[in-house]
């Protein structure tokens, strides 16, 4: 009896899943005529010690566009500048016997150290929220996976919200609905912010094209951010020779303290 039921059950499952699979396949093989091209004025940005942040302008074009759809405002662009990725720890402070102490913490795996987003309008109005979330576009949809997390997950949402709030408050995560503007029929420009504390390393500029709420194409370009001068020398020494750097830092602190005591001591 069991051997007869099994083939029937398999056939029923395949019959139910076939329409959904066909829809997915149809979406994957859809051929769009539009192509997206972007460009930036430089592939490398040198950061000096007095750097206070800057705006980076990205220019782009839509090739093979439909003029009627463009006239109706059916095309939308999202541009993201994403920094190098590293683990990030969020700590929760609570008052214990009148003293604020760290009681809990959570480390998220490989999150961008900087993230700036510009778009033709609010991303929630460009495409269905589910599609935007699946593509991981925007601070609210960023992939935040706890490292080595063990627990019931009741505090996961709290730590994720705290992480986003801290990053946006500090200015390393930014969003600008309306920061992308069409300057001619198919040409556009976008402005994304480099914060004052922009991290070293390879950043990635990503542009996404949507047509009437449907994702069409994407393009990515690398952007190298390097520190120059004394700041770069100090940073390199801290990473390449941490022991020597630590000894010099301690020696400098001792000499500075001793010099200050001589300068301000009372006779």
């Amino acid at each position: 009896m069991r051997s007869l039921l099994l083939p029937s059950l398999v056939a029923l499952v395949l019959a139910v899943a076939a329409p959904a699979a066909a829809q997915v396949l149809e979406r994957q093989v859809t051929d769009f005529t539009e192509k997206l091209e972007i460009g930036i004025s430089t592939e490398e940005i040198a950061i000096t010690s007095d750097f206070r942040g800057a705006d980076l302008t990205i220019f782009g074009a839509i090739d093979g566009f439909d003029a009627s759809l463009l006239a109706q405002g059916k095309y939308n662009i999202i541009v993201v500048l994403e920094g190098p990725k590293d683990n990030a720890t969020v700590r929760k402070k609570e008052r214990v016997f009148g003293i604020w102490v760290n009681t809990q913490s959570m480390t998220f795996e490989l999150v961008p150290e900087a993230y700036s987003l510009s778009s033709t309008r609010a991303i929630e109005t460009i495409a269905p929220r589910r599609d935007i979330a699946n593509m991981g576009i925007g601070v609210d949809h960023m992939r935040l996976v706890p490292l080595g997390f063990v627990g019931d997950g009741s505090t996961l949402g709290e730590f994720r919200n705290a992480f986003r709030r801290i990053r946006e408050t500090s200015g390393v995560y930014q969003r600008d609905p309306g920061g992308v503007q069409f300057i001619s029929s198919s040409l556009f420009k976008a402005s994304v912010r480099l914060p004052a504390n922009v991290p070293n390393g390879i950043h990635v500029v990503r542009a996404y094209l949507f047509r009437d709420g449907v994702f069409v194409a994407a393009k990515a370009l690398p952007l190298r951010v390097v520190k120059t001068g004394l700041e770069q020398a100090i940073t390199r020494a801290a990473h390449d020779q941490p022991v020597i750097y630590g000894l010099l830092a301690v020696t400098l602190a001792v000499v500075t303290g001793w010099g200050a005591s001589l300068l301000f001591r009372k006779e």
Side-chain angles (χ1 to χ4, degrees):
M1 183 66 174
R2 180 177 298 177
S3 61
L4 294 176
L5 287 175
L6 184 57
S8 300
L9 181 60
V10 172
L12 178 61
V13 171
L14 291 176
V16 172
Q23 291 177 4
V24 173
L25 182 60
E26 181 181 356
R27 183 171 182 182
Q28 289 176 344
V29 299
T30 301
D31 186 19
F32 293 105
T33 59
E34 296 90 342
K35 304 298 180 183
L36 186 64
E37 298 294 337
I38 60 172
I40 50 180
S41 58
T42 179
E43 296 180 353
E44 180 176 295
I45 294 180
I47 304 299
T48 58
S49 58
D50 59 348
F51 181 73
R52 295 294 179 265
D55 292 319
L56 177 70
T57 301
I58 297 99
F59 290 94
I62 306 173
D63 294 332
F65 63 92
D66 186 312
S68 61
L69 292 177
L70 187 65
Q72 298 174 51
K74 298 296 185 180
Y75 289 110
N76 283 284
I77 307 289
I78 300 175
V79 176
V80 172
L81 176 62
E82 185 178 284
K85 294 184 177 181
D86 198 1
N87 295 343
T89 300
V90 179
R91 294 177 174 83
K92 182 179 180 180
K93 289 187 176 182
E94 293 181 333
R95 203 175 184 86
V96 179
F97 300 112
I99 302 175
W100 289 98
V101 295
N102 296 322
T103 56
Q104 300 181 56
S105 67
M106 184 175 293
T107 299
F108 294 107
E109 183 179 13
L110 297 179
V111 296
E113 295 185 69
Y115 190 90
S116 181
L117 181 147
S118 290
S119 52
T120 47
R121 50 195 173 101
I123 61 174
E124 294 79 9
T125 65
I126 290 178
R129 184 179 180 87
R130 181 181 62 182
D131 294 347
I132 294 292
N134 288 339
M135 297 177 69
I137 301 175
V139 176
D140 295 334
H141 308 299
M142 189 176 292
R143 183 176 176 268
L144 298 177
V145 178
L147 184 65
F149 178 72
V150 177
D152 59 5
S154 59
T155 60
L156 185 55
E158 178 184 0
F159 276 95
R160 281 174 171 166
N161 291 335
F163 170 82
R164 296 186 182 101
R165 184 177 64 253
I166 292 170
R167 289 295 173 101
E168 289 193 287
T169 301
S170 65
V172 294
Y173 281 12
Q174 303 179 42
R175 63 183 91 187
D176 180 17
V180 179
Q181 298 177 344
F182 282 94
I183 55 179
S184 70
S185 57
S186 62
L187 300 177
F188 64 88
K189 70 172 183 177
S191 180
V192 291
R193 185 69 178 168
L194 287 166
N197 51 345
V198 60
N200 257 12
I202 304 298
H203 296 237
V204 180
V205 177
R206 289 191 177 90
Y208 304 87
L209 171 63
F210 291 83
R211 185 182 74 183
D212 200 16
V214 178
F215 170 69
V216 175
K219 198 78 172 182
L221 290 175
L223 175 69
R224 188 164 176 255
V225 176
V226 295
K227 293 180 179 178
T228 59
L230 178 61
E231 187 175 353
Q232 169 62 12
I234 294 174
T235 301
R236 184 177 299 171
H239 286 85
D240 297 344
Q241 298 175 319
V243 176
I244 296 177
Y245 172 80
L247 292 174
L248 289 176
V250 172
T251 301
L252 180 61
V254 172
V255 171
T256 302
W258 175 74
S261 66
L262 291 178
L263 183 64
F264 296 104
R265 70 179 179 179
K266 296 181 180 180
E267 296 297 339

